[in-house]
């Protein structure tokens, strides 16, 4: 079965940095666009960052633009989210997604609490 395995979540102070990783199993990331979403209780899932099958094609939510960077490594079959200058409002569960037309695969998002 296709699996997306995430790592790198954890407690971080405001202004700090964190790097999330997502590795795909039994799926070739080279064929898929890759994204990071986040969600908090009572809120809809929010698209944070997107990267196309061509790495130069990226998009970011306005709230994270300039602070977060998405990147991919097709050899390692992984996607990363570098999060800098973190704010308390960035606190959420972060999910990676691999998408190919109607096929969508999701990771199990780690918690990212941003607090002093």
């Amino acid at each position: 079965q296709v699996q997306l395995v995430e790592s790198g979540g954890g407690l971080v102070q405001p202004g700090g940095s964190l790097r999330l990783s997502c590795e795909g199993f039994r799926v070739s990331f080279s064929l898929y666009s890759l994204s990071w979403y986040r969600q908090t209780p009572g809120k809809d899932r929010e698209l944070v960052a997107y990267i196309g099958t061509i790495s130069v094609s990226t998009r970011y939510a306005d709230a994270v633009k300039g602070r977060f960077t998405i990147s991919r490594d097709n050899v390692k079959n992984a996607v990363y989210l570098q999060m800098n200058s973190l704010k308390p409002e960035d606190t959420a569960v972060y999910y990676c997604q691999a998408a190919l037309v109607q096929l969508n695969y999701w990771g199990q998002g780690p918690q990212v609490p941003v607090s002093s």
Side-chain angles (χ1 to χ4, degrees), residues 8-14 16-18 86 91 111-116:
L11 178 65
V12 62
Q13 296 181 12
S17 297
L18 204 63
L86 283 162
T91 298
Q111 180 80 19
V112 179
V114 183
S115 176
S116 299

Side-chain angles (χ1 to χ4, degrees), residues 4 27-35 50-51 53 72 97-106:
L4 274 60
V27 59
S28 180
F29 275 3
S30 65
L31 302 175
Y32 291 76
S33 64
L34 302 170
S35 300
Y50 163 92
I51 186 167
T53 54
R72 65 188 297 157
Q97 180 210 47
L100 175 62
V101 192
Q102 296 298 102
L103 285 177
N104 298 319
Y105 300 110
W106 292 89

Side-chain angles (χ1 to χ4, degrees), residues 30-115:
S30 65
L31 302 175
Y32 291 76
S33 64
L34 302 170
S35 300
W36 288 95
Y37 289 80
R38 66 186 181 186
Q39 189 169 31
T40 57
K43 295 183 178 180
D44 291 334
R45 184 181 59 200
E46 175 189 18
L47 175 64
V48 176
Y50 163 92
I51 186 167
T53 54
I54 301 174
S55 294
V56 295
S57 179
T58 58
R59 292 179 177 271
Y60 297 92
D62 289 341
V64 306
K65 189 176 182 180
R67 299 188 296 118
F68 291 11
T69 303
I70 187 171
S71 61
R72 65 188 297 157
D73 187 333
N74 289 340
V75 175
K76 295 182 178 180
N77 213 42
V79 61
Y80 309 96
L81 185 66
Q82 178 66 47
M83 303 183 291
N84 298 326
S85 302
L86 283 162
K87 304 174 181 179
E89 49 264 46
D90 293 320
T91 298
V93 176
Y94 286 73
Y95 300 89
C96 61
Q97 180 210 47
L100 175 62
V101 192
Q102 296 298 102
L103 285 177
N104 298 319
Y105 300 110
W106 292 89
Q108 295 181 341
Q111 180 80 19
V112 179
V114 183
S115 176

